[in-house]
Amino acid sequence: MVQLAPAAAMDEVTFRSDTVLSDVHLYTPNHRHLMVRLNSVGQPVFLSQFKLLWSQDSWTDSGAKSGDHREIHTKEPPPAETSSTGSPPGSDHGNEGFSLQAGADTTGQEVAEAQLDEDGDLDVVRRPRAASDSSPAGPLRDKVHPMILAQEEDDVVGEEAQGSPHDIIRIEHTMATPLEDVGKQVWRGALLLADYILFRQDLFRGCTALELGAGTGLASIIAATMARTVYCTDVGADLLAMCQRNIALNSHLAAAGGGVVKVKELDWLKDDLCTDPEVPFSWSQEEISDLYDHATILFAAEVFYDDDLTDAVFKTLSRLAHRLKNACTAILSVEKRLNFTLRHLDVTCEAYDHFRSCLRALERLRDGNLRFVVEPVEASFPQLLLYERIRQLELWKIVAEPVT
């Protein structure tokens, strides 16, 4: 007789076959205060910090000066690994496992050496002693104060947001989600798009912009440092609530640039914006008028992983472009992912290939008084956030202009 395995408990954490994990989280580990709360659907929520390199004095070869993005010169990207606070390796923040110190080799160049003890062994920071040890044999070590896990309804944002430095972006996100929840993770394409927004300040300064499929809201937060108004859109009350929390965590960045971020629901499978006041994150008539009267920038990152959704994104882009009173520019960020498929018995990029076919179809489209000009954006602009900028990351610019 075959005995069936007992059913998993409802609260047991399991990883299904469609679990997806963003590579970004592998390069920005948070050893301290990793998990901060549970969201309303019971998923663990983590807090990561991303440091803006243009306001960081330690990267002297970048040519950047604090607050002046235009003086940055493109260099080799810095190492992808960061410390627990998102600071570069060797900084004074966070790294609890071991410490590095600068030394000199025989050529006179500075190198990083592991900290050694008096016997020549690797000096590892030990676990803190218990607080009950009233007469320690040696020097006291720092005590660990773990983050208290908070519930969804608890407001843990207020005081933390007020004291945030202006070169740190703090993002709450989940990890290892099913495919339908990938918007709750941070993806490299969003960081590439953020880099481009910071580089093209002239395009975003003072504008009204809309992000499609904003996910955690990282790109919208960056855009708000220059734009007048950013409509940060996605679907799902839980995801939009996460966007709202991240905007509150980084409100000091938008306030410094005078921008406003508004979190709104925008469903690509529906023709009209939701105006039902009973629905969370719905639109008011004033906001819809402001969007159609003033928006000139549309942008999206990492939303081209499913063919049906990709079709819906392009239909939404076309529909919005025809409703806007001004000519608009769309910036799209995508990662070309290589996958081995049994159907082809080869490595393919089916989702990316479909994305490219949609670009070609949009360029051929002659609908009404608009035409769409599509061109790739060379990724030679400076890297201002710590992540691994791989060659599979691409940016595309779409300009919707009147037919003459």
Side-chain angles (χ1 to χ4, degrees):
M1 176 186 293
V2 177
Q3 185 174 1
L4 297 177
M10 290 294 292
D11 58 350
E12 183 177 345
V13 178
T14 59
F15 291 95
R16 301 185 344 210
S17 58
D18 63 346
T19 295
V20 182
L21 174 63
S22 167
D23 289 342
V24 169
H25 307 312
L26 304 180
Y27 291 101
T28 56
N30 275 356
H31 300 297
R32 297 170 59 188
H33 307 263
L34 183 59
M35 188 172 75
V36 294
R37 63 185 177 90
L38 293 176
N39 61 20
S40 61
V41 295
Q43 295 170 328
V45 177
F46 303 85
L47 182 66
S48 289
Q49 302 189 49
F50 299 89
K51 194 166 184 70
L52 288 167
L53 301 181
W54 53 263
S55 60
Q56 182 179 325
D57 295 334
S58 58
W59 295 109
T60 53
D61 20 57
S62 67
K65 293 185 179 180
S66 178
D68 190 353
H69 303 206
R70 299 183 183 277
E71 298 188 15
I72 299 175
H73 305 285
T74 304
K75 295 287 182 182
E76 285 296 318
E81 293 82 8
T82 63
S83 71
S84 61
T85 59
S87 304
S91 68
D92 293 334
H93 302 287
N95 207 351
E96 292 186 352
F98 57 90
S99 58
L100 298 177
Q101 64 178 1
D105 61 9
T106 54
T107 62
Q109 298 176 337
E110 287 193 351
V111 295
E113 293 181 355
Q115 182 74 33
L116 304 180
D117 64 14
E118 57 186 9
D119 298 324
D121 299 321
L122 184 64
D123 189 11
V124 180
V125 179
R126 304 296 180 185
R127 184 186 310 170
R129 289 188 176 91
S132 59
D133 188 358
S134 57
S135 2
L140 289 173
R141 301 187 181 102
D142 293 335
K143 297 181 176 64
V144 171
H145 302 283
M147 176 73 73
I148 302 301
L149 182 64
Q151 296 298 322
E152 176 73 26
E153 61 272 12
D154 292 341
D155 184 10
V156 295
V157 175
E159 294 183 0
E160 295 176 348
Q162 295 176 5
S164 299
H166 286 272
D167 58 351
I168 293 291
I169 302 169
R170 307 172 73 230
I171 297 294
E172 286 192 0
H173 58 88
T174 59
M175 293 174 63
T177 64
L179 190 60
E180 61 266 22
D181 280 339
V182 292
K184 296 178 181 178
Q185 300 188 51
V186 180
W187 298 88
R188 274 187 292 231
L191 295 166
L192 179 72
L193 180 57
D195 271 345
Y196 184 73
I197 293 170
L198 289 168
F199 175 66
R200 287 299 309 270
Q201 294 185 57
D202 58 319
L203 185 63
F204 285 84
R205 184 173 288 111
C207 76
T208 297
L210 180 143
E211 182 177 12
L212 294 167
T216 62
L218 186 148
S220 287
I221 292 167
I222 292 294
T225 62
M226 285 154 289
R228 178 179 68 88
T229 305
V230 178
Y231 290 99
C232 174
T233 72
D234 215 311
V235 293
D238 190 59
L239 177 58
L240 292 172
M242 176 179 284
C243 276
Q244 191 72 68
R245 291 179 70 89
N246 284 330
I247 289 163
L249 280 170
N250 298 279
S251 58
H252 58 290
L253 295 176
V260 175
V261 186
K262 298 185 177 183
V263 179
K264 297 296 172 183
E265 177 184 291
L266 196 159
D267 191 336
W268 307 332
L269 303 178
K270 297 179 181 178
D271 291 339
D272 297 315
L273 303 175
C274 178
T275 57
D276 185 352
E278 300 297 322
V279 177
F281 305 104
S282 60
W283 297 72
S284 68
Q285 290 298 335
E286 292 77 10
E287 290 165 339
I288 294 176
S289 297
D290 177 59
L291 174 68
Y292 290 155
D293 290 347
H294 301 107
T296 56
I297 300 291
L298 308 175
F299 58 100
E302 297 282 38
V303 296
F304 309 105
Y305 54 88
D306 175 87
D307 290 356
D308 292 336
L309 290 179
T310 297
D311 292 338
V313 172
F314 277 93
K315 288 180 181 178
T316 301
L317 281 173
S318 177
R319 183 169 62 247
L320 287 172
H322 281 88
R323 292 179 179 178
L324 299 180
K325 290 187 177 180
N326 301 300
C328 71
T329 299
I331 308 296
L332 308 179
S333 175
V334 62
E335 182 174 338
K336 182 179 180 181
R337 291 183 171 85
L338 307 172
N339 296 294
F340 180 85
T341 62
L342 292 175
R343 183 157 61 93
H344 297 282
L345 292 178
D346 198 359
V347 174
T348 63
C349 308
E350 291 184 305
Y352 174 81
D353 292 341
H354 187 74
F355 165 75
R356 291 295 302 272
S357 69
C358 288
L359 282 178
R360 291 189 292 269
L362 185 67
E363 197 167 24
R364 293 192 300 266
L365 182 65
R366 293 294 183 269
D367 183 13
N369 299 319
L370 283 182
R371 72 185 184 104
F372 296 91
V373 179
V374 179
E375 61 182 36
V377 177
E378 183 67 32
S380 57
F381 47 89
Q383 181 170 339
L384 304 177
L385 289 158
L386 283 174
Y387 66 101
E388 185 185 23
R389 187 185 284 187
I390 59 176
R391 68 175 183 273
Q392 287 81 14
L393 287 173
E394 294 183 2
L395 275 179
W396 291 83
K397 181 168 71 171
I398 302 172
V399 179
E401 54 188 28
V403 176
T404 56

